[in-house]
Amino acid sequence: MSSLEIKNIDKFYGATQALFDVSLNIEMGEFVTLLGPSGSGKTTLLKILAGFEPVSSGTILMNGRDISLLSPEKRNFGLVFQGYALFPHMTVHENIAYPLKVRRVAKDEIDERVTAILDLVQLGKFAGRYPAELSGGQQQRVALARALVFKPDLLLLDEPMSALDKKLRVDLQEELRDIHRTLGTTFINVTHDQEEAMHMSDRIAVMNHGRIAQFDTAFNLYRHPDTRFVADFVGKSNILDGEVVQEGDTAMFRAKGVAVPLPEAPTMLEAELMIRPEDGTVEVEAANDGRIYLPGKVLSSTYSGDRALYSLAMDMGENFIVYGSARSGIHGDGARVLMGFAPGDCTLLRKLNG
Amino acid sequence: MSRAIYWISLVLSMLFLALPLLLVLPLAFNESSFLTYPMEGFTLDWFKIAFTQPPWMPAFLNSLKVAFGAAVVAVVIGGLAAMGTMLSGRFGQIILSGLFISPIVIPSVVLGVAFTYAFGRAGFGGGYISLVLAHAILGAPLVFLSVMTSLKGLDPELERAAASMGASRAYRFRTVTLPLAAPGFMTGALFAFVTSFDEVVVALFLAAPQSTTLPIALFSGLRDRLEPTIIAVALMLSLLSLMFLLVLNWLQQRSRYKTRGK
Ligand SMILES: Nc1ncnc2c1ncn2[C@@H]1O[C@H](COP(=O)(O)OP(=O)(O)OP(=O)(O)O)[C@@H](O)[C@H]1O
Ligand SMILES: [Mg+2]
């Protein structure tokens, strides 16, 4: 099985370091997304993979071969730019034929392959138009077709959806997934939209300050984030800062006003506990069912038909967000409530130094 | 209020620019051979003279030849200079740009003297070649500037996109950079052509009787025998310039249309 191995990459721009010891192993045919806040190094990593920026140290292995010194035109990677970078003086057909002409493919075959890929991105009728005569979504699909038509070993996408409106973005996400399934090419996508990342990717590399914070499936990132950063960045969460203490047989997480028994004894002493908004409930009175109930009052609520998202001011001093049932009414602002959760639904986070 | 200011300033500036021309142009159709008002009837004779009698037609053809040659040479020199400058580093760009633009800032009298001396020494003073070369040197900075502008306006991602698709540097240049910078070359060529076409000072230094250009013929006409033919020629030249202006405008429109959609 072929694969892309990114090994211990550091990248300096002059004195500032943009990437710190980045390593990723990407399997053939995977859809991987680089997700992170602005300035976290996503574009830098993508440029390095594409060959537009040299690495400062580290290697990139494609099927075991070191490609870190190869120039972009020798890598055979497709690239979709944030601004699409379509050639304005060429028609859609000429744009897509470009990489094939570079490879001296015969004219008949060029026409055949361009037509086929245009069908795949549903732009068959637009072959004769110039990019300026297309909508943003159509331009984006031309860029995609052009980057795929020469059967690249890897497709790199730098925030391909960021210029499009929400609705179109969702449609194109769907389409991109389908295309990925059809072609089986390895995709590496960059975004800072966590929903987009979760919808499309097999695995997501969350980046922060030039480091890979966690590289895992969307499910694991959401349910089992390693750090507070990942927990905060992927989805909404409530996080308690506390410590782990051993009490008799059980390990307990203790923060101000809360004690949560832990299923297994962790190795760390200082820790953070994450409770996702959907892991809690909003109740009027506590039941004796092994769950933990914390008192507080409603700050505000957002009703969305199927449920309500409450913002609660807990008596212990924290503010929590919790989903509550809205079947039999909504608790008004200022109402005294209990937030209930099961200890088993919480996730203990590793605390980074500093 | 602001509309009034708009119209007043518009009319005033138009008058300032166009009044001298408008005052003098009707005299091209005046039957009298003196350049004075009131006009004494309508005639096209002066145009006929301009087309049939020397020095007008030969001078016009000379000017065309010189301007065409100068434009071609200027495009080659200025275009290459711009492309080379674009490929050099930041510091190099500043120095090179300064050097290539310098012919614009140096007074043409100084250049005229320098050209006369240099070309005379080199043994081809006074001919077409010296005029073409001198005018090419005057036109090259204009080509340089307009090509630089259009190269700088190119989205650098286009080149990267081409590279990612496997195109070599030379292929990228030929298929992406050059076609997109073409309007810059055209604009530059037109500017160089027009500059040469109405250049007087350097031409005065360099032109021999057989290579007299139209501006020189006009100039000496003004001095020697002041007659309405001069005005007729001037009128036709103005129309020609207007045409160039329209072509230029059209070129810019077209390039803007093509690179829209971003
Ligand atoms: N050419 C450059 N020269 C110097 N520093 C740079 C350069 N390019 C990027 N950087 C720095 O490297 C860091 C990472 O930038 P990068 O563009 O990779 O971020 P990003 O994750 O793509 O952010 P965004 O989501 O805003 O696109 C930033 O701190 C940035 O300032
Ligand atoms: Mg970026």
Side-chain angles (χ1 to χ4, degrees):
Chain A
M1 207 51 166
S2 54
S3 65
L4 179 73
E5 282 176 73
I6 300 165
K7 282 188 172 168
N8 311 103
I9 288 184
D10 288 318
K11 173 68 187 176
F12 289 89
Y13 288 113
T16 57
Q17 189 164 3
L19 292 179
F20 297 80
D21 194 29
V22 167
S23 296
L24 292 173
N25 273 331
I26 294 169
E27 298 298 324
M28 168 88 163
E30 242 188 320
F31 194 135
V32 169
T33 295
L34 307 178
L35 174 69
S38 191
S40 57
K42 308 180 295 289
T43 301
T44 302
L45 182 53
L46 207 72
K47 277 188 185 158
I48 285 175
L49 291 178
F52 297 131
E53 287 286 348
V55 296
S56 301
S57 66
T59 51
I60 307 167
L61 301 178
M62 184 82 198
N63 303 331
R65 189 170 72 111
D66 186 354
I67 59 162
S68 45
L69 297 177
L70 229 50
S71 64
E73 58 263 33
K74 301 226 172 70
R75 293 197 183 193
N76 201 41
F77 290 172
L79 214 62
V80 176
F81 291 83
Q82 188 165 357
Y84 313 139
L86 298 177
F87 303 131
H89 58 303
M90 297 183 198
T91 61
V92 168
H93 181 100
E94 289 164 342
N95 261 285
I96 300 175
Y98 191 90
L100 300 177
K101 282 201 185 122
V102 169
R103 287 168 177 72
R104 301 180 188 285
V105 176
K107 174 139 190 353
D108 291 349
E109 197 190 331
I110 289 184
D111 288 343
E112 212 171 284
R113 283 168 70 175
V114 171
T115 310
I117 199 95
L118 273 177
D119 282 345
L120 185 70
V121 297
Q122 300 166 23
L123 282 179
K125 288 178 301 202
F126 298 91
R129 293 222 194 157
Y130 283 93
E133 299 164 347
L134 299 176
S135 74
Q138 290 162 344
Q139 290 183 27
Q140 206 265 355
R141 279 184 273 189
V142 175
L144 187 64
R146 189 179 65 173
L148 284 170
V149 73
F150 60 99
K151 305 202 169 79
D153 296 323
L154 186 67
L155 182 72
L156 304 168
L157 306 112
D158 191 3
E159 310 216 16
M161 317 276 188
S162 60
L164 306 175
D165 64 51
K166 180 90 183 162
K167 164 103 179 53
L168 192 59
R169 213 149 61 197
V170 173
D171 291 349
L172 275 167
Q173 283 169 16
E174 194 78 12
E175 221 176 295
L176 201 60
R177 264 218 81 106
D178 286 345
I179 290 171
H180 174 252
R181 257 187 237 118
T182 314
L183 299 179
T185 310
T186 312
F187 281 30
I188 298 181
N189 178 44
V190 162
T191 185
H192 49 236
D193 177 348
Q194 52 109 358
E195 272 184 41
E196 178 188 321
M198 295 183 78
H199 290 168
M200 297 200 294
S201 325
D202 295 321
R203 282 196 292 169
I204 300 169
V206 181
M207 296 187 68
N208 186 25
H209 295 311
R211 290 188 170 82
I212 303 287
Q214 194 172 352
F215 182 36
D216 218 325
T217 60
F219 178 81
N220 281 341
L221 289 181
Y222 191 80
R223 292 309 316 176
H224 308 293
D226 276 349
T227 58
R228 179 178 194 142
F229 173 79
V230 176
D232 269 339
F233 199 74
V234 181
K236 303 188 184 86
S237 58
N238 304 297
I239 293 171
L240 290 170
D241 202 345
E243 53 183 15
V244 176
V245 289
Q246 198 68 33
E247 292 182 1
D249 284 346
T250 49
M252 296 287 280
F253 172 86
R254 276 192 182 282
K256 196 177 59 173
V258 217
V260 182
L262 298 170
E264 53 195 271
T267 52
M268 51 230 178
L269 291 176
E270 287 196 345
E272 284 162 323
L273 194 74
M274 176 192 79
I275 309 166
R276 293 289 188 192
E278 66 275 17
D279 292 334
T281 53
V282 180
E283 318 281 354
V284 186
E285 54 193 48
N288 198 356
D289 54 2
R291 282 157 54 91
I292 295 168
Y293 292 89
L294 301 173
K297 72 175 203 276
V298 176
L299 281 178
S300 65
S301 62
T302 324
Y303 177 60
S304 56
D306 54 342
R307 57 189 178 175
L309 180 63
Y310 288 98
S311 170
L312 306 176
M314 309 310 295
D315 290 355
M316 54 195 238
E318 311 271 337
N319 281 359
F320 273 10
I321 45 174
V322 186
Y323 283 113
S325 161
R327 243 176 308 178
S328 48
I330 305 163
H331 304 287
D333 293 357
R336 299 277 325 161
V337 291
L338 295 167
M339 180 234 184
F341 62 94
D345 288 336
C346 305
T347 305
L348 203 62
L349 306 177
R350 195 159 45 86
K351 198 158 180 179
L352 292 178
N353 302 332
Chain B
M1 184 57 197
S2 67
R3 276 198 82 75
I5 293 176
Y6 168 80
W7 280 109
I8 289 170
S9 50
L10 186 76
V11 169
L12 278 182
S13 52
M14 289 303 280
L15 280 181
F16 179 71
L17 288 173
L19 199 60
L21 272 176
L22 291 179
L23 274 181
V24 97
L25 287 182
L27 293 177
F29 303 97
N30 194 0
E31 242 172 65
S32 155
S33 68
F34 294 105
L35 294 178
T36 51
Y37 284 106
M39 285 175 60
E40 298 173 2
F42 181 87
T43 176
L44 290 175
D45 283 353
W46 305 117
F47 287 87
K48 206 155 79 195
I49 292 175
F51 277 106
T52 52
Q53 286 184 17
W56 304 114
M57 233 19 218
F60 176 69
L61 292 178
N62 276 346
S63 273
L64 275 188
K65 269 188 259 180
V66 169
F68 186 77
V72 170
V73 178
V75 164
V76 174
I77 297 177
L80 286 176
M83 277 149 22
T85 306
M86 272 313 276
L87 293 179
S88 50
R90 259 170 66 91
F91 192 62
Q93 278 199 14
I94 294 172
I95 304 246
L96 288 175
S97 297
L99 277 177
F100 287 127
I101 295 170
S102 62
I104 294 185
V105 253
I106 296 172
S108 20
V109 184
V110 177
L111 282 176
V113 173
F115 288 145
T116 316
Y117 183 74
F119 292 151
R121 271 305 180 89
F124 51 87
Y128 280 119
I129 300 182
S130 64
L131 260 181
V132 166
L133 285 182
H135 281 178
I137 290 170
L138 291 180
L142 304 173
V143 178
F144 175 82
L145 282 176
S146 74
V147 173
M148 276 301 269
T149 310
S150 64
L151 284 177
K152 278 200 175 139
L154 289 187
D155 182 356
E157 295 221 317
L158 293 179
E159 241 239 309
R160 291 210 191 117
S164 76
M165 288 182 266
S168 65
R169 187 186 261 257
Y171 190 86
R172 299 199 293 266
F173 184 75
R174 192 158 54 76
T175 54
V176 177
T177 313
L178 209 53
L180 287 175
F185 281 90
M186 304 280 265
T187 314
L190 270 176
F191 273 130
F193 186 92
V194 172
T195 305
S196 161
F197 201 80
D198 67 14
E199 203 285 332
V200 191
V201 179
V202 171
L204 269 178
F205 277 92
L206 290 174
Q210 76 279 4
S211 61
T212 292
T213 59
L214 198 53
I216 296 182
L218 274 172
F219 190 63
S220 34
L222 271 177
R223 249 186 351 204
D224 306 342
R225 49 198 154 90
L226 202 60
E227 53 179 28
T229 323
I230 295 174
I231 313 279
V233 171
L235 180 63
M236 291 189 285
L237 278 184
S238 306
L239 290 179
L240 203 69
S241 306
L242 195 69
M243 233 174 56
F244 271 126
L245 213 69
L246 292 178
V247 172
L248 209 67
N249 206 344
W250 176 74
L251 274 176
Q252 276 161 356
Q253 290 280 327
R254 211 179 52 141
S255 73
R256 201 170 310 134
Y257 169 72
K258 270 200 175 170
T259 46
R260 195 172 49 97
K262 290 223 53 171

